[in-house]
Amino acid sequence: KELEATQATLAAGKEEYQEQMDKLEMEFRNQQDRLNTAGDAGDETAIMSVARKMLEVLDNFDRAFQVVKAESEEDIVIETKYQAVYDNILATFADLGVKPVPTVGIEFDYEIHQAVLQRPSEYEEGIVCEELQKGFILNDKKLVRPAMVAVAA
């Protein structure tokens, strides 16, 4: 009898408090989800900020690399080192989820490209025919910087 009374009390307590426990558990899970989402958004904001600053460095590397003409063995060594640093920056971007925007040979997309000019080209009209400045996108969804392009006329 005592066991039955205890089981009845337990069942009544479960019945009385189960709904409250379920609500608390749901609220706890929702709070965890909100915190995780806020943390991810904060990470993306930080990555975007750093990537935009680093793009200035990358652009300077691009400009310097275009000027360097390897004529001597020493120039070739310098050019190789420039390329290694440039590749390292791009690899670090990729590790962070920052990837170059596709350009030449694809249809112009105003969401990821910035058309600077139109010109006659071997490509069909509306196809990107030249990349003037690299664009980058974060995690395939947030544009860090549009690619500056020329579009076939």
Side-chain angles (χ1 to χ4, degrees):
K1 283 191 172 193
E2 196 174 308
L3 180 60
E4 288 176 12
T6 304
Q7 286 178 341
T9 304
L10 177 63
K14 271 187 174 180
E15 203 172 294
E16 182 179 344
Y17 294 107
Q18 187 63 45
E19 188 175 329
Q20 288 177 325
M21 291 297 291
D22 289 344
K23 285 181 183 177
L24 283 173
E25 185 178 355
M26 188 182 305
E27 188 176 319
F28 176 73
R29 285 187 183 158
N30 287 340
Q31 184 65 27
Q32 279 184 318
D33 290 345
R34 279 194 296 274
L35 288 173
N36 288 339
T37 302
D40 291 347
D43 289 350
E44 281 189 349
T45 301
I47 291 170
M48 292 272 288
S49 177
V50 170
R52 285 185 177 133
K53 289 289 186 188
M54 284 302 297
L55 285 176
E56 296 171 18
V57 174
L58 194 65
D59 290 342
N60 287 335
F61 259 88
D62 268 339
R63 285 188 278 280
F65 199 61
Q66 289 170 3
V67 172
V68 173
K69 300 290 182 228
E71 295 172 2
S72 68
E73 292 224 9
E74 189 176 306
D75 291 345
I76 293 171
V77 169
I78 291 171
E79 184 179 57
T80 303
K81 289 182 180 181
Y82 262 110
Q83 187 64 48
V85 172
Y86 184 83
D87 292 343
N88 194 336
I89 292 170
L90 288 179
T92 301
F93 274 178
D95 289 345
L96 293 170
V98 178
K99 298 176 187 157
V101 168
T103 54
V104 176
I106 68 166
E107 188 172 349
F108 175 79
D109 181 349
Y110 69 91
E111 291 190 10
I112 59 172
H113 300 134
Q114 180 178 353
V116 177
L117 54 103
Q118 279 189 310
R119 70 169 62 152
S121 168
E122 71 272 10
Y123 292 103
E124 292 180 27
E125 185 176 335
I127 302 295
V128 175
C129 61
E130 183 181 357
E131 178 181 87
L132 304 171
Q133 183 182 50
K134 281 190 179 305
F136 290 87
I137 194 163
L138 174 62
N139 296 329
D140 297 323
K141 61 184 176 186
K142 285 194 174 184
L143 190 65
V144 177
R145 177 176 80 183
M148 292 174 62
V149 297
V151 180

